[in-house]
Structures are given as structure tokens and as C-alpha cells.
Amino acid sequence: MTAAHQPAPRTAAPAPARTQRVGAVPAARTGRRRGPRRQPVAYLYLLPALLLYTAFVIAPWLHTLELSFYRWDGVTAGVWTGLDNYRQVLTDPKLTASLWHALGFIGFYTVLPIAAGLVLAAVIGRARQGRNFAVSRTVLFLPQIVPLVAVGVIWRWMYAQDGTVNQLLDAIGLHSWARAWLGDFTWAYVAVGLVGSWVMLGLCLVLFQAGIQKIDTSLYEAARIDGAGPVREFLSVTLPGLRAEIGVAVTVTVISALASFDVVYVTTGGGPGDTTTVPGLLIYRLAFTGGEVGTACALAVVLSLLISLVVLAIGRLTRERA
């Protein structure tokens, strides 16, 4: 028998395809992930903090909002006035000027400390093995641990006619610049603002130094191999690496600028005239010495809304660029 007449080998019949129910497909094969199960019991752990926050923050703010619609002297019965208090806040030159003063303090409380803190953090970061690293950080952070009332008293002495600032000016031959800084209509606002810059510098420096330590050192080595100098290294490596820390610093310092009270109250009391008056100081005066509780509450509500809007805008910008 030749090979042509040999019967073809029998092949096994193909196995029937397994049918699979749609509902039986494993989650891992479909790429779907089940979210964590929400345990209602977990919310009970947040309840104590939520109760405290409601009692000491939300409830007083709502009561302030209610009082802002009344004309009330704090003793007799209040009279409903609708939006008159808000109209007064937005049209009275003295009240609107205080809001502009608070916004202007952002330049001293935010821009100057962050700019100076970035430069100092970069310089100290390049000399990370230096002996003065811990000492400089401690000295510059010192204003943050001193009460703001004490800061105001210290700088009131330094800005006095015979204070340290004028003595230094006399020592370097600038006698004509010596003056009573906190009583000068031109320089009082700048003098108070520089106190805020001094207070906020330490906080910004510590934030930026902590951020620099998280940056991968290989990035600096690569930049140096490419021939980058200190300025290029700062702009290309350090500054992008500190984006999150800059967002935190801007948020904290802007809130401090808009809600400033202690330093202004101790150093100038809002003077000379109204050149350094801020909303926090006016709220105190209107509510406790002026008998205009409704107007003070309206100004407080406007200030809180302004701070909330600014903080939300900063958070949104930081999140979009992150």
C-alpha cells in the first residue's frame, strides 16, 4: 500500500467554546476597580471636630451674618435695616480705604517675604554643609515664635525718634532721613508693612528650605554638567520644585495681610490719621467703642468673603499648575 492510500490521521474535535455570563467577568480583567467601601462608622470619628468647628466657627459667623442686617448699638433692641450696613461698607470712604490698605499689605506680607525667602533658601541650600545653616534658620524663624503684640512693641521702640533705626541712619551719615517713622503720614504705612515682612520672612524661609531638601540632587548635578550657573539652576530646578511650598506660603501670608490687626493696633493704632487703618481695627472700634455693631458685622462678613475668595483663587491656580 502506498502512502497515497493511507487514511488521514484522525484529529481531535475542537472543544466547544465556553460560554461566559456577562455578570461573571472578573473585575481585574475588565480593568474596573471597586472603590473603598464607605463605612458610616468612620464619620463618627469626625463628629467631635465637626461639633467644635460648628460651635466656635460656623455658628458665630452665622450670628455675625444675622447682626449685619440690623442697626444695633449692642445694648438696646436692634432695628432691621436690610442691606444698609453693606451699602455703608462699600460707599463710606473710610471703610473702603481700610479694605485697600489691607490689600496693599499683601505686597509687604506676601511678595517681599516670599521673594527674599526664595533667594535666602537657594543661597543657604547651595551651602548646605555650612556651619551657619541651622543658626541662620533659627534666627530668621525667631519672629514667628514671638507674639505679635511683643513684635509691635519692639518695632515701636525701634521706629521712635531716638530709636535704633534713626541711630543707624545717623551713624552712616543720613541725618536728613531720620524721623518719627510711625508718626509720618508718608512713611507710617511702609514702616508697618515692613514689620509684617520681617515677621513672615522666617515662615517662608523654613517652608522653602524644607522643599529644597525634597528636590532630587541629581537634577542639580545634571544642570551643572550642562553648564548652568547659580541663577539658571535656581530658575530651572529650584523654583519649579518649590511650586507647592510657594502656594502654601502665598495662602498663609495673604490671610495674615488681610486679617492684620495686632501689629497695626500696637504700633500706630491706625494713624496718623487713617493712613494705616485696616478692617480688623475698624471692626474692633465700631463694635466695642462706636456702638455700631451692625456695621462692624457687615464689614466682618465682607472681609471674610474677600479672604475666602482670594484663598480659593490661590488654591485653584496652584492646583491647575501643579
Side-chain angles (χ1 to χ4, degrees):
M1 182 179 292
T2 61
H5 295 83
Q6 292 181 353
R10 299 178 63 183
T11 57
R18 292 183 177 179
T19 58
Q20 204 166 19
R21 292 180 301 175
V22 176
V25 176
R29 295 177 59 184
T30 59
R32 297 177 181 175
R33 287 185 177 181
R34 292 183 177 180
R37 294 183 59 185
R38 294 181 179 179
Q39 298 291 342
V41 181
Y43 291 103
L44 293 178
Y45 293 100
L46 301 177
L47 189 58
L50 182 60
L51 290 176
L52 290 175
Y53 189 78
T54 302
F56 293 103
V57 178
I58 296 178
W61 191 87
L62 292 176
H63 187 55
T64 302
L65 179 64
E66 179 189 3
L67 292 178
S68 67
F69 297 107
Y70 287 86
R71 185 175 67 249
W72 186 42
D73 58 3
V75 179
T76 59
V79 178
W80 172 267
T81 58
L83 297 176
D84 286 351
N85 290 328
Y86 290 95
R87 192 175 298 110
Q88 181 182 355
V89 168
L90 298 178
T91 57
D92 189 322
K94 186 177 181 179
L95 299 182
T96 54
S98 69
L99 291 172
W100 285 112
H101 291 161
L103 290 173
F105 272 153
I106 293 176
F108 293 99
Y109 279 70
T110 302
V111 178
L112 286 180
I114 288 180
L118 284 171
V119 173
L120 288 175
V123 171
I124 295 175
R126 287 182 63 85
R128 194 171 295 179
Q129 302 300 325
R131 296 179 180 179
N132 295 328
F133 178 72
V135 175
S136 60
R137 183 172 56 186
T138 303
V139 170
L140 292 173
F141 190 71
L142 192 60
Q144 277 293 312
I145 61 175
V146 177
L148 290 178
V149 174
V151 169
V153 172
I154 292 171
W155 279 95
R156 191 173 61 189
W157 291 342
M158 294 182 68
Y159 280 136
Q161 187 70 47
D162 56 348
T164 307
V165 175
N166 286 334
Q167 290 178 7
L168 290 176
L169 292 175
D170 290 337
I172 59 177
L174 298 176
H175 308 284
S176 60
W177 282 81
R179 67 196 65 205
W181 295 91
L182 297 178
D184 192 288
F185 278 83
T186 304
W187 292 101
Y189 185 80
V190 177
V192 175
L194 290 176
V195 176
S197 303
W198 180 73
V199 172
M200 290 297 157
L201 176 60
L203 173 66
C204 296
L205 177 63
V206 170
L207 280 174
F208 298 151
Q209 282 187 330
I212 286 178
Q213 291 177 1
K214 294 189 305 182
I215 298 176
D216 192 352
T217 55
S218 63
L219 297 177
Y220 289 104
E221 295 172 0
R224 290 166 189 166
I225 292 174
D226 291 340
V231 176
R232 186 65 181 172
E233 185 179 305
F234 172 76
L235 295 176
S236 302
V237 180
T238 304
L239 203 56
L242 293 177
R243 188 173 299 161
E245 286 75 13
I246 292 174
V248 174
V250 170
T251 302
V252 174
T253 54
V254 165
I255 293 175
S256 299
L258 295 178
S260 58
F261 172 79
D262 312 64
V263 173
V264 177
Y265 181 78
V266 174
T267 53
T268 65
D274 294 323
T275 54
T276 59
T277 303
V278 290
L281 190 62
L282 275 183
I283 292 170
Y284 170 76
R285 287 178 177 173
L286 291 171
F288 296 102
T289 63
E292 300 180 47
V293 179
T295 307
C297 291
L299 182 58
V301 171
V302 171
L303 180 62
S304 62
L305 292 178
L306 178 63
I307 292 175
S308 301
L309 290 175
V310 172
V311 171
L312 286 175
I314 294 172
R316 186 175 181 82
L317 290 174
T318 305
R319 185 168 57 251
E320 287 179 350
R321 294 180 180 181

